[in-house]
Amino acid sequence: MTKQTVRQEEPIAAIATPVGVGALAIVRMSGRGVFAVADRVFRRRGGGAFSFAEAEGFTAHFGTLSDKGGMVDEVIALVFRAPSSFTTEDMVEFTCHGGPVVVRQVLQALLDGGCRLAEPGEFTRRAFLNGRIDLLQAEAIGEMIHARTEAACRTAATQMQGALSLRLQEMREGLLHSCALLELELDFSEEDVEFQSREDLEASVLRLEAEISRLVESYREGHMVAEGVSTVIAGRPNAGKSTLLNRLLGEERAIVSHMPGTTRDYIEECFVHEKTMFRLTDTAGLRESGEEIEHEGIRRSYRKISEADLILYMLDVSGEDAPDEARAAGRLRREHPEARMILVANKTDLAPDGSLRVAELEELSGCPVAGMAARSGEGVEELKGLMASMVEGLDKLQEASVLVTSLRHYEALRNAADSLCNARQLIEAGEATELIAFELRSALDYVGEITGKVVSEELLNTIFSRFCIGK
Ligand SMILES: Nc1nc2c(ncn2[C@@H]2O[C@H](COP(=O)(O)OP(=O)(O)OP(=O)(O)O)[C@@H](O)[C@H]2O)c(=O)[nH]1
Ligand SMILES: [Mg+2]
């Protein structure tokens, strides 16, 4: 790409580092005319003629930055020339001192100099629109910034490097090839020719379907790595669920009281144990009665349970109905075979024969049991260990593993797999070429949605609005 071919949009500027006090901060700008803006505000130390338009890319220059009121700070200016920059446009980054007032003044000087304030994710959006990265890579940057565990960070890094993009690109090429041959057949429809034998076509569709299904399946692990293991604390009112949530978080987050039905709406918080992130949800206690609001809370509890990766089913081990509760837990587990479950036998301090009951409860529920006294914190560390062991391996994912981590990608892949399955059935049934071509085209579009080959303005807005300003 030569300099002339890069389309440069209006100049934008933003603070790229977090708000607050730090040693240094970065204010960046990108777009048409940013070198002129930089010339207006920056004087190179040692004087002499210097202009950004003449400076080479990847060079750093020390000097002062001024606004109308005079000098603001001593800064380093980094020059990136199109197309060799993050956005592929001309860019200048100023590294200044990291006080909030200094940083704001530097930004204001650039805005006064002719830049517009960037929107959230606008730098990355330009990198995508200018073809430097695809949509998957752009999203990976966002995931990396928000990653809370090493594994999440590593998976995002792999995606940023383009591992998944490459796989999808290969699939697209395979599909395009088959579509092209089918469309050629349609052009020659009078003559009844087959440019690719139906057996070959079926085999290649089957191969693609298998590969896409593998990616679809990786989402179970992938989303647990990226977003945390969705962990729901469920059980009857007063079992001690909110007490456990507070224990796991190490803070008094949820209201605890002896009144059954204290928690009405669910409460969500994250905590990281060793290298695994858990997204904990405390729910309203499950029971039949209760008034309207509690009833709605219970409905939400069931919804959360159905979405969980891990269910901590809590019961009061001192209560007479503990065996019934253990059976109820077993039923819940069978209703949600996808989720893992731990039976938390709480209030062992009130049950003199607590240890004896653990074995019995295990038998009745068919789940591993963690005995505990949530109020005093006894058994909480053991529970954390058990939770980690139930999702073992998540923290050890290798750099090379290509995982689907986002719901958007997962849904597009599932749709693509469905279209391929339809195509295969049509081929098997000896159906018309048009119908097969239609299904393959839609599979192609679904795969293209992921990397951004087929994309709507609305989707881009949703994706980039989640970024910070300055990224
Ligand atoms: N003795 C004893 N009491 C406990 C223990 N854990 C919790 N409790 C008490 O049990 C009562 C209910 O605790 P919560 O944590 O509010 O129970 P919950 O399951 O969230 O109840 P709901 O929100 O009503 O569904 C409170 O009075 C707690 O102090 C425990 O290990 N031992
Ligand atoms: Mg509660």
Side-chain angles (χ1 to χ4, degrees):
M1 208 186 312
T2 63
K3 192 181 165 191
Q4 283 73 26
T5 61
V6 177
R7 197 189 56 193
Q8 304 228 17
E9 297 287 334
E10 61 173 327
I12 49 171
I15 301 164
T17 38
V19 214
V21 178
L24 298 170
I26 294 172
V27 184
R28 66 188 341 195
M29 47 180 181
S30 175
R32 192 185 338 114
V34 291
F35 293 150
V37 177
D39 278 336
R40 259 166 240 148
V41 296
F42 179 82
R43 286 287 156 277
R44 191 157 74 159
R45 177 56 61 87
F50 171 77
S51 105
F52 280 91
E54 304 294 318
E56 290 209 22
F58 305 127
T59 54
H61 307 272
F62 178 51
T64 53
L65 189 141
S66 307
D67 62 10
K68 287 182 290 259
M71 191 191 92
V72 174
D73 192 10
E74 288 187 329
V75 299
I76 303 274
L78 269 178
V79 181
F80 303 89
R81 301 192 73 93
S84 304
S85 75
F86 177 60
T87 58
T88 78
E89 300 177 323
D90 289 331
M91 288 184 76
V92 180
E93 283 184 7
F94 290 106
T95 305
C96 60
H97 290 103
V101 180
V102 183
V103 180
R104 246 195 342 263
Q105 279 178 291
V106 171
L107 174 65
Q108 193 57 52
L110 303 185
L111 298 180
D112 293 342
C115 286
R116 155 172 81 66
L117 183 65
E119 285 166 18
E122 198 169 1
F123 290 88
T124 316
R125 186 181 184 133
R126 287 187 181 188
F128 163 67
L129 291 175
N130 295 333
R132 208 185 74 73
I133 52 175
D134 67 17
L135 202 51
L136 266 174
Q137 292 171 303
E139 287 170 295
I141 294 173
E143 278 189 23
M144 181 169 225
I145 292 174
H146 293 112
R148 302 245 327 240
T149 60
E150 270 175 43
C153 204
R154 265 203 305 272
T155 318
T158 311
Q159 189 174 317
M160 194 167 70
Q161 293 275 300
L164 185 53
S165 307
L166 190 70
R167 293 269 283 273
L168 294 174
Q169 187 52 33
E170 284 164 3
M171 283 183 206
R172 263 182 65 81
E173 277 160 21
L175 272 169
L176 266 173
H177 180 70
S178 297
C179 281
L181 293 177
L182 285 180
E183 273 153 28
L184 213 57
E185 273 177 33
L186 289 173
D187 290 343
F188 287 88
S189 55
E190 323 273 87
E191 294 159 40
D192 197 24
V193 282
E194 275 184 8
F195 287 91
Q196 184 177 26
S197 79
R198 288 295 178 266
E199 290 77 47
D200 286 355
L201 182 61
E202 192 181 347
S204 79
V205 168
L206 202 63
R207 250 195 328 273
L208 277 173
E209 209 185 327
E211 179 152 20
I212 292 187
S213 302
R214 264 199 304 282
L215 286 175
V216 167
E217 276 160 26
S218 77
Y219 179 67
R220 259 199 90 67
E221 263 187 349
H223 99 275
M224 284 198 266
V225 168
E227 286 157 41
V229 180
S230 149
T231 307
V232 171
I233 310 175
R236 307 278 290 173
N238 246 358
K241 301 179 294 299
S242 300
T243 312
L244 175 62
L245 176 91
N246 293 344
R247 277 280 162 205
L248 289 172
L249 296 177
E251 61 172 297
E252 297 303 305
R253 172 66 182 81
I255 301 172
V256 165
S257 95
H258 64 279
M259 308 261 293
T262 304
T263 307
R264 300 295 190 85
D265 207 345
Y266 59 86
I267 299 175
E268 264 180 352
E269 290 291 339
C270 288
F271 89 102
V272 176
H273 175 64
E274 286 167 0
K275 289 182 173 175
T276 310
M277 179 161 90
F278 293 89
R279 204 152 30 84
L280 279 179
T281 307
D282 176 23
T283 58
L286 305 170
R287 63 172 166 185
E288 290 299 324
S289 62
E291 36 70 54
E292 202 180 324
I293 298 174
E294 191 184 349
H295 193 75
E296 172 59 23
I298 293 170
R299 211 181 55 75
R300 291 178 187 201
S301 301
Y302 278 113
R303 201 184 71 219
K304 284 288 156 190
I305 290 170
S306 71
E307 295 166 356
D309 299 313
L310 176 62
I311 302 168
L312 304 181
Y313 194 95
M314 201 165 202
L315 55 79
D316 177 347
V317 81
S318 70
E320 277 180 4
D321 57 355
D324 288 340
E325 274 298 282
R327 278 188 211 99
R331 277 197 300 278
L332 200 65
R333 178 198 158 103
R334 284 190 293 280
E335 285 163 20
H336 302 283
E338 296 274 278
R340 303 151 168 94
M341 189 190 272
I342 299 173
L343 189 71
V344 182
N346 192 33
K347 309 196 186 182
T348 47
D349 54 311
L350 299 182
D353 57 349
S355 57
L356 188 128
R357 290 202 127 176
V358 166
E360 182 193 342
L361 296 173
E362 223 152 36
E363 169 100 38
L364 289 171
S365 65
C367 304
V369 176
M372 82 155 52
R375 189 145 76 180
S376 70
E378 203 185 304
V380 172
E381 285 310 311
E382 288 80 352
L383 174 67
K384 285 185 188 170
L386 191 56
M387 286 165 70
S389 74
M390 305 253 335
V391 289
E392 207 162 23
L394 276 189
D395 59 334
K396 297 185 190 72
L397 288 168
Q398 293 305 304
E399 256 172 64
S401 52
V402 177
L403 295 179
V404 174
T405 54
S406 118
L407 183 61
R408 187 181 83 78
H409 307 160
Y410 169 74
E411 284 180 343
L413 284 168
R414 260 196 15 200
N415 288 334
D418 286 350
S419 298
L420 287 175
C421 175
N422 292 344
R424 191 167 43 80
Q425 285 168 352
L426 292 169
I427 298 168
E428 276 165 16
E431 291 285 353
T433 311
E434 283 100 323
L435 301 178
I436 305 170
F438 174 81
E439 292 296 344
L440 292 188
R441 271 270 154 220
S442 54
L444 191 63
D445 283 351
Y446 285 125
V447 175
E449 256 179 32
I450 304 176
T451 53
K453 285 266 188 275
V454 185
V455 83
S456 69
E457 187 69 10
E458 193 185 341
L459 175 65
L460 291 186
N461 289 342
T462 334
I463 290 175
F464 289 106
S465 63
R466 287 199 290 258
F467 277 67
C468 346
I469 293 184
K471 188 60 233 175

